[in-house]
Amino acid sequence: MTKKEALYQYLLRMGDDSLILGQRLSELCGHGPILEEDIATTNISLDLIGQATLLLEYAGELADEPKTNDELAFLRIEKHYANALLVEQPNGNFGDTMMRQFLFDAYRKPLLEQLMQSVDKRLAGIAEKALKETKYHLRHSSEWVIRLGDGTQESHSKVQASLESLYRYAHELFFENEVDEILLNEGIIPAAKTLFPLWEKTVTEVLEMATMSLPKNNWKFQGGREGRHSEHMGFLLAEMQYMQRTYPNMEW
Amino acid sequence: MMEIDIKELEKKFQLKIDKDIRIEPNDWMPDAYRKTLIRQISQHAHSEVVGMLPEGNWITRAPNLRRKAVLLAKVQDEAGHGLYLYSAAETLGADREQTIDDLHSGKAKYSSIFNYPTLSWADMGAVGWLVDGAAIMNQVPLCRCSYGPYARAMVRVCKEESFHQRQGFEIMTKLASGTSAQKEMAQDAFNRFWWPALMMFGPSDADSSHTEQSMRWKIKRHTNDELRQMFVDATVPQAELIGLTIPDQDLKWNTVKEGYDYGAINWDEFWQVVGGNGPCNKERVDARRKAKEDGKWVVEAAMAFAQKRSAKKSA
């Protein structure tokens, strides 16, 4: 694998995480528990779609046959999407949505902070822009996890159940393979082992404030990074790709 | 209060209105003025919030990343409009939750256009162009409304609405200059939304129960029919420019009035939709009600948490 191929794969992972999570959140537009939250969720979705636009644009330029970000976003087959399984999980209840977001944000923030030091200046630039947004996302999702965890008995048990279910997907965010090895040696990306303790610290602190406990079940799902997705993914893509598949080769 | 005092206050109030002095929340105002405004502003707020649904329907299926982002931003703007309109209604003493419950029970109305379904991507163009276009016609004069908080909210709303209208027109322009499938999609959306857009201005002046008093109070500055005419005159040339056909065989330029004559509006349809028999009335209100019911435990948790925190602080 060349450095270029590795970077292409890595940008797909990041771009797809943003794209698929942004797509999931956009399903909630108009259905939030309160209007203020509707605005916040839509805003986060918008940020993520914006990040996906930049990341997939860069990826497209590195592809064997150059592609646009729209071609990458809308016209790949399922197993060519490299997002983590966590972000494709359904929205569920509000606690599930916030917990999914929190586990992701707590990983994304330190990743972006370290990517700002990347020798790849373009990636560093994207990271700098995305970090500003992600700091807000993490603050927002942390605050909700704490509120729900330390709110009522009902909200506590609901969000604890969200954690039990989603925690199994979180470790995949630290997946590494040949792609990472190459890019790490080039000084383009940070090592997962430097990110994991930062993620763990945020998660532990927030869960403590939320009076929640870490799941005893330590099972770690993975597969998304290598294109093996959950059953949910096909439906998400069918909806997202509907226009491009039904009306191929048109300008919108 | 003595009747004579009220007469005096009403006189002073009307005098202020006549001199174009803004009425502010703490000023004395007749009960009927307050009620009219609460009704109108909360209806307007509900329209923004319910209006998120037909467009929200296409966010997940937007054809490319740029369109997805623009549509998200638009729907987010609408939620924002809803928020500051509910706040404007609160300055008149309306309770936000009660107002929302009135929407959910069917007591309060919202713009009937949102009871029509959005069936294709072109509907995102048609809604932006026609529905936001009609809303602007209605709302620009409201920037000079006699009630200060409403007028000021409208200034901001109008800026964003005119941006939305241009985006909608841009979607339509792109489709109308595209493939035959895209042109067909655009014309179909235009056919479906043209008449409901004309209905957005409300019943004809002869049948409009609130117009006269609202104009005296300078809540309204133009009658429904005047606004509708302005909309037709502005929109027909835009449709012609991009090659869409107006779905009205009776439409023709009237040189005497220097405006378009247009065909008869189907008021039976209008009243049926207002009364609950539009294609999506039930779905729209159900969706809003479900959002609130599903979110009840979240709001309760947030309140319980806030109480715990303030108890800790004061301890």
Side-chain angles (χ1 to χ4, degrees):
Chain A
M1 185 182 277
T2 64
K3 182 179 118 186
K4 189 177 158 197
E5 283 163 348
L7 185 55
Y8 171 71
Q9 271 305 321
Y10 193 82
L11 289 166
L12 282 189
R13 287 183 196 169
M14 283 189 74
D16 289 345
D17 279 353
S18 293
L19 175 69
I20 302 302
L21 187 55
Q23 173 75 6
R24 274 288 184 232
L25 291 175
S26 78
E27 294 168 13
L28 296 170
C29 194
H31 306 280
I34 48 170
L35 207 43
E36 286 83 347
E37 200 43 47
D38 225 310
I39 294 174
T41 308
T42 310
N43 193 34
I44 295 167
S45 171
L46 189 55
D47 286 343
L48 290 166
I49 298 297
Q51 293 172 13
T53 303
L54 296 175
L55 289 160
L56 295 178
E57 181 183 35
Y58 190 9
E61 291 169 24
L62 300 174
D64 276 346
E65 288 170 42
K67 287 187 164 48
T68 66
N69 46 14
D70 282 327
E71 284 173 310
L72 285 178
F74 295 95
L75 290 169
R76 275 176 291 161
I77 57 166
E78 179 173 325
K79 69 175 195 172
H80 292 163
Y81 284 82
N83 58 282
L85 295 172
L86 176 71
V87 298
E88 71 197 48
Q89 297 310 304
N91 291 322
N93 65 33
F94 185 75
D96 298 329
T97 305
M98 281 305 128
M99 185 54 76
R100 183 186 64 198
Q101 192 68 39
F102 168 66
L103 293 172
F104 178 74
D105 294 338
Y107 144 80
R108 210 37 172 332
K109 179 174 163 272
L111 171 63
L112 294 171
E113 278 168 345
Q114 298 198 24
L115 281 175
M116 280 171 60
Q117 315 305 321
S118 172
V119 297
D120 186 303
K121 291 301 160 213
R122 181 160 170 191
L123 181 55
I126 296 173
E128 188 180 359
K129 184 183 176 295
L131 179 63
K132 285 186 197 130
E133 299 161 348
T134 304
K135 278 182 178 168
Y136 156 73
H137 302 173
L138 177 60
R139 198 173 70 225
H140 179 260
S141 58
S142 305
E143 283 172 359
W144 270 113
V145 167
I146 295 168
R147 264 186 221 120
L148 297 177
D150 193 19
T152 61
Q153 223 166 14
E154 184 189 8
S155 69
H156 179 89
S157 61
K158 275 194 158 125
V159 77
Q160 182 69 41
S162 309
L163 178 66
E164 302 284 341
S165 157
L166 292 165
Y167 195 69
R168 300 172 300 165
Y169 296 101
H171 287 81
E172 193 196 4
L173 297 168
F174 305 95
F175 169 90
E176 282 184 318
N177 65 5
E178 191 193 357
V179 168
D180 303 77
E181 204 179 309
I182 293 168
L183 299 178
L184 188 58
N185 284 334
E186 296 281 343
I188 295 175
I189 63 161
K193 66 171 189 271
T194 68
L195 298 175
F196 183 76
L198 297 167
W199 176 84
E200 204 178 27
K201 184 169 178 285
T202 307
V203 171
T204 313
E205 281 172 6
V206 168
L207 292 183
E208 197 185 309
M209 281 190 274
T211 70
M212 291 169 66
S213 43
L214 275 175
K216 292 197 180 69
N217 181 355
N218 210 22
W219 181 245
K220 301 175 177 71
F221 283 122
Q222 65 175 44
R225 291 280 186 242
E226 295 168 296
R228 290 189 316 279
H229 292 279
S230 58
E231 283 185 348
H232 307 295
M233 186 69 170
F235 293 95
L236 182 147
L237 292 181
E239 194 172 341
M240 189 172 78
Q241 297 184 339
Y242 164 70
M243 289 295 291
Q244 290 282 349
R245 297 285 184 205
T246 313
Y247 303 97
N249 304 316
M250 294 184 202
E251 297 274 321
W252 301 96
Chain B
M1 203 179 288
M2 302 271 289
E3 203 181 322
I4 187 106
D5 291 343
I6 291 193
K7 283 259 154 60
E8 194 54 35
L9 285 167
E10 277 176 353
K11 213 169 125 188
K12 277 188 187 157
F13 174 81
Q14 190 62 46
L15 216 62
K16 266 169 98 175
I17 301 260
D18 295 343
K19 284 189 191 161
D20 280 327
I21 298 171
R22 286 266 163 83
I23 307 300
E24 294 300 331
N26 294 327
D27 296 347
W28 186 88
M29 62 187 85
D31 270 353
Y33 177 85
R34 187 186 298 275
K35 273 188 194 144
T36 300
L37 274 169
I38 289 180
R39 181 180 52 79
Q40 184 172 335
I41 298 172
S42 51
Q43 267 185 23
H44 192 164
H46 299 328
S47 299
E48 296 284 356
V49 174
V50 176
M52 295 167 72
L53 299 169
E55 291 183 283
N57 184 37
W58 277 89
I59 293 175
T60 57
R61 290 176 292 170
N64 61 35
L65 291 165
R66 184 172 82 86
R67 293 292 183 200
K68 195 187 283 291
V70 170
L71 189 55
L72 271 164
K74 177 175 195 261
V75 180
Q76 189 191 21
D77 283 347
E78 279 152 14
H81 297 172
L83 256 191
Y84 39 85
L85 285 163
Y86 283 126
S87 304
E90 279 175 328
T91 66
L92 291 157
D95 175 67
R96 176 169 150 188
E97 288 313 308
Q98 183 57 50
T99 311
I100 291 170
D101 288 340
D102 286 346
L103 168 72
H104 296 173
S105 71
K107 193 176 151 200
K109 301 291 180 212
Y110 53 88
S111 183
S112 58
I113 191 94
F114 301 119
N115 292 316
Y116 289 86
T118 51
L119 303 177
S120 78
W121 171 251
D123 289 17
M124 297 304 98
V127 168
W129 173 35
L130 302 174
V131 177
D132 289 71
I136 292 167
M137 287 290 169
N138 264 325
Q139 290 166 11
V140 165
L142 287 173
C143 298
R144 294 185 296 128
C145 164
S146 59
Y147 187 60
Y150 193 27
R152 288 188 287 274
M154 278 306 104
V155 173
R156 184 167 165 193
V157 169
C158 282
K159 271 186 203 153
E160 292 177 353
E161 297 285 19
S162 74
F163 188 55
H164 299 162
Q165 196 258 355
R166 282 202 298 276
Q167 285 166 349
F169 187 63
E170 202 245 321
I171 290 177
M172 285 306 246
T173 307
K174 192 86 186 174
L175 295 175
S177 63
T179 63
S180 59
Q182 287 173 309
K183 280 180 194 158
E184 201 178 307
M185 194 189 287
Q187 184 65 52
D188 175 64
F190 188 49
N191 293 348
R192 282 182 289 107
F193 277 96
W194 172 253
W195 291 105
L198 294 195
M199 294 177 200
M200 277 180 73
F201 297 95
S204 277
D205 296 348
D207 303 314
S208 175
S209 50
H210 305 295
T211 296
E212 204 185 321
Q213 180 61 68
S214 286
M215 287 185 72
R216 202 158 38 237
W217 279 332
K218 293 188 183 167
I219 295 173
K220 262 178 113 156
R221 299 270 179 169
H222 304 282
T223 71
N224 295 350
D225 286 333
E226 284 167 6
L227 290 165
R228 191 165 11 246
Q229 186 67 52
M230 284 156 69
F231 175 76
V232 172
D233 293 345
T235 311
V236 169
Q238 293 171 351
E240 284 170 349
L241 182 72
I242 59 174
L244 293 178
T245 308
I246 319 288
D248 178 0
Q249 289 183 338
D250 297 326
L251 187 97
K252 59 173 183 293
W253 180 253
N254 180 328
T255 46
V256 181
K257 73 171 184 187
E258 296 207 323
Y260 286 93
D261 289 333
Y262 49 89
I265 290 172
N266 183 349
W267 291 114
D268 281 347
E269 177 181 321
F270 173 77
W271 290 114
Q272 284 297 327
V273 177
V274 170
N277 285 329
C280 299
N281 294 56
K282 187 176 182 315
E283 286 83 350
R284 300 293 185 242
V285 175
D286 283 354
R288 292 309 310 161
R289 202 185 292 132
K290 185 174 186 298
K292 185 166 178 174
E293 278 164 15
D294 288 354
K296 207 168 154 235
W297 68 274
V298 176
V299 175
E300 283 168 2
M303 278 160 58
F305 177 77
Q307 272 169 10
K308 281 186 201 174
R309 281 295 143 114
S310 69
K312 259 185 203 166
K313 256 187 200 160
S314 57

